[in-house]
Each structure stands twice: as structure tokens, then as C-alpha cells.
């Protein structure tokens, strides 16, 4: 770290102190004391900590400690009366009270990516998205919230690290920035992070408010912000909600933001991570053309970075879609290709929730909901707030007759990510539970919510028609059947049966009766 205060620069790596470009002589122990106090300028450092860090825990007299503080004051041009730099607190310790700024030399520009060789590998790793989570600021003088302002960022660091694909800067580096004296670009440069997540904590009259903001340090643009407020006794629940929201933002907002930045870049000029981001954007369009574009982008990412686990998982996703939606006419071959890509992604990163999710989907595709359930549970185990893990587990539970679990995880998935690309599937699972309970009006409601999402497929429209059929509304049934034909003129009974697993005989019999009744 390079700390700037008054006219001084303190380089902790070189152990050098200078003023106005001129070296300032200081004894090693005095320099150690300065680095300790400046590095912790946000708080009072106790005598016990001074002894532990500077004298390695040896027994020393109060005079020895006071002598070293006086020596440091002389080096800085401070004195015990003014206390402009060092302020002593009787019975508590000493604190560095000068205005501190952290500086660093600009990071070297990332070189152009080669598609082969070690240089290409190193560059692809360098382009991996990174995020710095800063200690939250305290609004007002609520010292009781000091622990909370550090506990929340630590929890968020742990939660985001569980995603595996995004590089999370450790708290040992980010917690140096408590004073907020740097602007966003400076923070990103010092920490090597593209994104910074910051926040504040304020407690007034027994209520605590927590603000969170995610910004792109390259442009200064705010990507996402949220404010939570609750009774101070409910802070634990609020912390859990914030962690949940940040996971959803990382999985959806950051890739979308990265893809938007690359909108006009030639595909062949993309590095592996850029191709991955654009591929995710295309696959979430849930269309034949979007799927084909995503497949090409994931293949580019793998060609440039063969060990990029998420690119293999993305390739499994689009090949699953090819088989599930019969985009290519070779469903069996697509299903095998999806499983091969999923297995490769899992082998490369077994703790990435997306690779586990795709292993579960491939079991789903083979008509094995029970087998898929284990993989969805693994996805949630490695990242408890992973939306698609909850969605997948909801589906597996519903189609193995565990309706209570299915409804719980469908609700969790919707709560975690209300505008998720997978929302039609989440609400569709709720439809199936209400059908099992013979609550057909509620089945209609959730089926229509699923089918009205712009990118939902023809099968969702057909389930809306089926729900109206069960609810005794032929007019709405026929309207939705018209929507089925509009979305996919080739949708037939065979295709319907491929998306309703035979492991739930009641649902299977229902769709067969419906298809027969409508001569599908």
C-alpha cells in the first residue's frame, strides 16, 4: 500500500516515508508504529495491540510505548499539544487522525488476447470479472453498529466467493478503505477490481437502515442499489436478505452489464470471458436464433480458454435447449452432447453451482427427476442463494410427487430473482402443484403468469390452455391453443410428452387426456 497524508507518502512494501519527494529518516520500530496506526486510521489502537504488533508481545514499560509515540510525533512534525496526526485517548490507546488517501500506480493495460499459448491463458484469467466489497460506512455516531458495518461485507465476500466464477477481493485488502477518501476509479485501480460494492448502516430510534450499491469502477456507473430498513432486532434477517439479493445481482446483472459493454465488439475479437458474457445474454433469450448464437459464443470461449468451466456449462445449457425444444431435429444427439459438456464443466469446477445445475438438467432431460434432485441440492449446498438451484429442485420435487418441497423452492426461487429468465419455469411449477391439489383457478393464474412472459415457449401456452380446460373455460382454452400454434406450428403430442416426465403418472395421464381431447 502507498498511503498519502498531509505532504507525506508512506510506501509499506518498500518501508519508505517521504515528504515532498524527499526521504524522511525514521527508525525501523518508529516506521512499524506508523504503518500500524495509518493502516488502522479508522479506529483507536490499544496499548495492548501496540505491544503485541510492535514489540511482538514482549513485556515493555509504559515509558517505552510513550517514547516511541513521541519519536513518531517528531518525525511527522506533530506534538502532544496539537495532536494533528496522532491523538491519544487516555486509558484507550492512540489513533492516527490525519486525512489518509490510498494510492497506487495505474495497473498495466491488458494485452490483446491470443487464442493459443500461455499468453492467451493468462490474459483470459485477467479478464475474469472481479469485485471488491468495502466495509460499510456508519451514518451518525452509532458505535454499536461498528461490528455490523464489517460483518455484512464479510458475509457478502463469503457468499459471492461461493459462485466460483467471479473473483472476489479478500477483506484483508478491501478493509483498508474504510475512510472513503478515494474515488471509485482509484479504488478499482488499487484493488484491481472492475466492480465495487459499498454500503452504509444507520440506526435511529430502534430502527436500522442498510443501503447497498454496486458500481462499475471503470465508468463510475451504478449497476444496482437497494435500501433495507427494519427494527434493529430484525437485523439478522435483513442481513440474510441482502446476501440473497447480492447473489442474484451477481448472477444476472453483472453478466448483462458486461454483455452490454461488448455490444459492438466483433465476435472473433472477444476474449474468453467476454464471449462467455455475451453467450449468457444470448442463451437467456430462449429462442432458436439466440440459442445458436450462444452456442457459437461458448465455443469461442472454450477455444480461447479450454478450462473455463462456465463456458462448458453454458454449452450444456444451449444443447439442453436444442434437445428440449427440438431446435435441430436431433434431440438424442443433442442430449448426449449436453451431458458431455456438463460433465466437462463439472470436472473443471465441481463447486460452481451452475455446473451442478446443468448436471441436474441433463438427468432431467433423460427422464430422471429423482437423479436430477441430487445435483440441484448440490448447487444449493455450494451456494445457498443460487436461484436456479432452487428452481431445479422445485421442478424435481414436483415431478417426484413432493409437492410441499416443490412449492417451497419455487417460492424461494421467485423471491430470490423476481425477473429471472427462468421465471416461466418457476411459476409453471406452482401451476403443477395447484393441479395436483385440484385447485384449478390457482393453476390457471400461475399458468398464465408463466405463459405471458415474452420468451416462454409453446409448451407454457399449452399448459395455460390445459389449466383452462380443467377449470371448465373452453373459450380461454381455445385462445391459448391458438397461441400454441402461433409460437410453434409444429408443436405436437410427442413434443408435449418430452417435457412432462413419465415419472409422475398422474401428470402424464392428464396431458395425454388433454391432447386426445383436443386432437393434438
Amino acid at each position: 500500500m502507498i498511503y498519502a497524508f498531509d505532504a507525506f507518502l508512506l510506501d509499506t512494501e518498500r518501508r519508505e516515508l517521504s515528504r515532498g519527494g524527499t526521504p524522511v529518516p525514521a527508525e525501523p520500530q518508529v516506521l512499524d508504529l506508523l504503518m500500524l496506526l495509518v493502516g488502522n486510521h479508522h479506529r483507536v489502537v490499544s496499548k495492548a495491540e501496540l505491544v503485541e504488533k510492535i514489540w511482538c508481545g514482549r513485556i515493555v514499560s509504559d515509558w517505552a510505548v510513550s517514547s516511541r509515540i513521541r519519536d513518531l510525533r517528531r518525525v511527522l512534525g506533530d506534538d502532544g499539544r496539537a495532536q494533528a496526526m496522532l491523538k491519544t485517548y487516555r486509558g484507550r490507546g492512540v489513533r492516527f487522525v490525519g486525512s489518509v488517501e490510498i494510492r497506487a500506480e495505474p495497473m498495466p493495460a491488458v494485452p490483446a488476447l491470443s487464442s493459443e499459448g500461455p499468453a492467451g491463458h493468462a490474459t483470459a484469467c485477467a479478464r475474469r470479472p472481479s469485485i471488491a466489497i468495502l466495509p460499510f460506512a456508519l451514518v451518525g455516531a452509532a458505535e454499536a453498529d461498528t461490528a455490523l458495518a464489517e460483518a455484512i461485507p464479510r458475509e457478502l465476500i463469503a457468499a459471492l466467493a461461493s459462485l466460483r466464477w467471479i473473483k472476489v477481493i479478500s477483506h484483508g485488502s478491501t478493509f483498508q478503505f474504510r475512510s472513503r477518501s478515494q474515488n471509485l476509479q482509484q479504488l478499482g485501480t488499487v484493488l484491481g477490481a472492475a466492480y465495487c460494492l459499498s454500503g452504509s448502516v444507520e440506526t435511529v430510534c430502534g430502527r436500522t437502515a442498510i443501503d447497498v450499491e454496486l458500481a462499475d469502477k471503470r465508468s463510475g456507473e451504478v449497476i444496482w442499489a437497494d435500501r433495507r430498513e427494519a427494527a434493529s432486532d430484525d437485523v439478522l434477517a435483513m442481513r440474510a436478505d441482502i446476501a440473497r439479493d447480492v447473489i442474484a445481482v451477481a448472477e444476472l446483472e453483472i453478466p448483462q452489464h458486461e454483455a452490454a459493454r461488448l455490444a459492438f465488439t466483433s465476435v472473433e475479437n472477444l476474449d474468453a470471458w467476454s464471449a462467455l458474457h455475451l453467450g449468457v445474454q444470448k442463451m437467456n433469450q430462449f429462442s432458436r436464433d439466440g440459442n445458436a448464437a450462444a452456442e457459437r459464443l461458448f465455443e469461442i470461449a472454450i477455444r480461447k480458454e479450454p478450462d473455463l468451466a462456465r463456458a462448458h456449462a453454458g454449452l450444456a445449457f444451449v444443447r439442453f435447449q436444442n434437445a428440449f425444444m427440438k431446435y435441430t431435429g436431433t434431440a438424442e444427439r443433442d442430449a448426449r452432447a449436453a451431458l458431455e459438456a456438463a460433465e466437462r464443466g463439472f470436472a473443471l469446477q465441481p463447486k460452481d453451482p451452475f455446473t451442478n445445475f446443468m448436471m441436474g438438467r441433463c438427468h432431467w432431460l433423460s427422464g430422471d427427476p429423482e437423479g436430477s434432485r441430487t445435483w440441484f441440492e448440490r448447487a444449493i449446498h455450494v451456494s445457498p442463494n443460487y436461484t436456479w438451484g432452487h428452481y431445479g429442485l422445485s421442478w424435481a420435487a414436483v415431478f417426484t410427487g413432493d409437492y410441499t418441497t416443490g412449492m417451497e423452492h419455487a417460492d424461494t426461487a421467485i423471491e430470490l430473482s423476481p425477473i429471472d429468465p427462468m421465471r416461466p419455469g418457476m411459476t409453471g411449477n406452482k401451476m403443477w402443484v395447484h393441479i395436483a391439489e385440484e385447485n384449478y383457478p390457482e393453476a390457471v393464474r400461475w399458468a398464465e403468469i408463466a405463459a405471458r412472459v415474452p420468451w416462454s415457449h409453446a409448451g407454457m401456452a399449452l399448459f395455460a390452455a390445459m389449466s383452462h380446460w380443467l377449470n371448465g373455460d373452453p373459450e380461454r382454452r381455445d385462445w391459448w391453443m391458438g397461441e400454441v400454434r402461433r409460437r410453434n406450428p409444429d408443436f405436437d403430442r410427442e413434443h408435449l410428452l418430452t417435457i412432462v416426465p413419465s415419472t409422475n403418472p398422474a401428470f402424464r395421464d392428464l396431458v395425454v387426456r388433454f391432447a386426445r381431447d383436443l386432437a393434438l
Side-chain angles (χ1 to χ4, degrees):
M1 288 291 187
I2 299 175
Y3 296 99
F5 49 91
D6 195 35
F8 291 95
L9 284 180
L10 174 63
D11 188 328
T12 60
E13 184 174 352
R14 296 180 180 178
R15 293 179 58 82
E16 292 179 354
L17 178 66
S18 62
R19 181 169 188 170
T22 302
V24 177
E27 295 181 19
Q29 205 170 55
V30 172
L31 202 57
D32 289 340
L33 178 59
L34 177 61
M35 288 192 292
L36 174 64
L37 293 175
V38 171
N40 292 276
H41 61 278
H42 61 286
R43 64 183 178 90
V44 175
V45 179
S46 69
K47 177 200 168 187
E49 185 175 351
L50 290 176
V51 172
E52 178 187 352
K53 299 289 179 61
I54 306 302
W55 283 272
C56 301
R58 298 193 304 272
I59 297 175
V60 296
S61 66
D62 289 346
W63 178 89
V65 175
S66 298
S67 177
R68 277 291 172 256
I69 292 173
R70 284 196 300 271
D71 291 341
L72 179 56
R73 287 191 190 279
R74 281 196 296 270
V75 167
L76 299 177
D78 197 11
D79 60 61
R81 183 184 297 271
Q83 297 196 30
M85 294 284 188
L86 304 181
K87 183 175 179 62
T88 55
Y89 295 81
R90 188 177 298 276
R92 293 181 60 194
V94 61
R95 178 182 175 187
F96 189 91
V97 293
S99 179
V100 178
E101 178 183 338
I102 300 175
R103 294 182 182 175
E105 294 298 318
M107 296 182 67
V110 177
L113 179 67
S114 168
S115 60
E116 300 177 356
H121 178 84
T123 307
C125 292
R127 292 296 298 270
R128 178 184 175 191
S130 55
I131 185 169
I133 301 167
L134 307 176
F136 283 22
L138 291 175
V139 179
E143 290 193 9
D145 291 331
T146 301
L148 183 62
E150 296 205 359
I152 296 173
R154 287 176 187 270
E155 292 167 357
L156 297 180
I157 288 171
L160 285 170
S162 72
L163 296 179
R164 304 291 168 177
W165 65 271
I166 188 166
K167 182 170 69 176
V168 184
I169 308 300
S170 74
H171 78 274
S173 296
T174 59
F175 279 30
Q176 298 287 332
F177 294 90
R178 292 178 175 88
S179 68
R180 297 295 196 279
S181 58
Q182 288 73 34
N183 63 35
L184 199 59
Q185 283 74 16
Q186 287 177 315
L187 289 175
T189 299
V190 172
L191 296 171
Y195 295 92
C196 287
L197 189 144
S198 60
S200 64
V201 179
E202 179 181 17
T203 297
V204 178
C205 299
R207 292 190 66 80
T208 298
I210 300 175
D211 289 287
V212 189
E213 179 180 288
L214 175 67
D216 183 337
K217 72 92 185 175
R218 295 160 294 187
S219 63
E221 179 183 359
V222 174
I223 307 304
W224 169 82
D226 191 22
R227 178 179 176 86
R228 296 268 174 177
E229 185 175 344
S232 297
D233 292 342
D234 296 330
V235 163
L236 283 177
M238 187 161 53
R239 285 161 60 175
D241 289 343
I242 291 170
R244 176 201 70 192
D245 292 346
V246 167
I247 289 292
V249 167
E251 285 285 4
L252 292 176
E253 301 290 343
I254 290 179
Q256 288 177 7
H257 181 70
E258 289 291 309
R261 295 178 65 246
L262 299 163
F264 301 103
T265 304
S266 171
V267 170
E268 292 301 329
N269 289 334
L270 296 171
D271 61 34
W273 280 97
S274 298
L276 173 66
H277 294 313
L278 282 174
V280 170
Q281 181 193 55
K282 296 296 183 183
M283 84 179 193
N284 285 338
Q285 293 176 1
F286 293 95
S287 67
R288 189 189 302 268
D289 291 343
N291 218 51
E295 186 168 20
R296 181 187 174 204
L297 287 159
F298 291 137
E299 288 172 343
I300 290 172
I302 292 168
R303 186 173 74 245
K304 295 189 174 185
E305 181 60 31
D307 294 340
L308 192 54
R310 283 228 159 185
H312 290 279
L315 198 58
F317 188 102
V318 297
R319 289 174 176 169
F320 170 95
Q321 288 294 107
N322 285 342
F324 189 71
M325 297 305 301
K326 297 184 180 294
Y327 282 150
T328 67
T330 56
E332 289 187 11
R333 187 180 69 187
D334 290 332
R336 287 194 301 271
L339 179 59
E340 290 170 2
E343 289 174 340
R344 176 61 176 159
F346 177 77
L348 289 167
Q349 183 47 272
K351 291 186 178 181
D352 186 324
F354 187 34
T355 65
N356 283 273
F357 173 76
M358 283 315 306
M359 287 295 297
R361 285 201 110 193
C362 288
H363 279 273
W364 165 350
L365 198 58
S366 65
D368 181 17
E370 192 62 50
S372 72
R373 183 168 182 157
T374 301
W375 292 102
F376 298 136
E377 288 171 343
R378 272 183 59 97
I380 297 170
H381 176 73
V382 297
S383 184
N385 290 309
Y386 184 60
T387 303
W388 287 6
H390 289 280
Y391 158 58
L393 183 54
S394 167
W395 182 92
V398 165
F399 281 93
T400 52
D402 185 358
Y403 301 121
T404 299
T405 299
M407 184 65 87
E408 287 175 356
H409 285 277
D411 286 337
T412 298
I414 292 169
E415 184 180 5
L416 285 170
S417 185
I419 56 173
D420 199 273
M422 290 287 194
R423 183 176 172 86
M426 300 170 189
T427 54
N429 287 346
K430 292 171 72 70
M431 173 205 73
W432 286 114
V433 172
H434 288 300
I435 286 176
E437 295 171 346
E438 298 185 1
N439 185 350
Y440 300 133
E442 276 297 289
V444 165
R445 185 167 79 89
W446 288 105
E448 289 210 350
I449 289 173
R452 289 186 184 281
V453 175
W455 57 85
S456 64
H457 56 73
M460 290 297 181
L462 186 135
F463 295 143
M466 185 179 72
S467 298
H468 282 292
W469 172 70
L470 289 168
N471 199 41
D473 189 340
E475 183 177 349
R476 294 299 295 165
R477 175 204 65 194
D478 292 345
W479 188 92
W480 278 108
M481 285 305 300
E483 186 66 10
V484 172
R485 298 184 185 96
R486 185 187 71 80
R487 295 183 187 186
N488 185 353
D490 298 325
F491 194 89
D492 56 16
R493 185 181 306 188
E494 181 185 355
H495 194 169
L496 172 61
L497 295 179
T498 64
I499 60 179
V500 181
S502 58
T503 49
N504 191 309
F507 289 162
R508 187 77 166 200
D509 290 346
L510 175 65
V511 296
V512 168
R513 286 192 292 112
F514 174 65
R516 185 185 303 123
D517 191 48
L518 270 73
L520 184 66

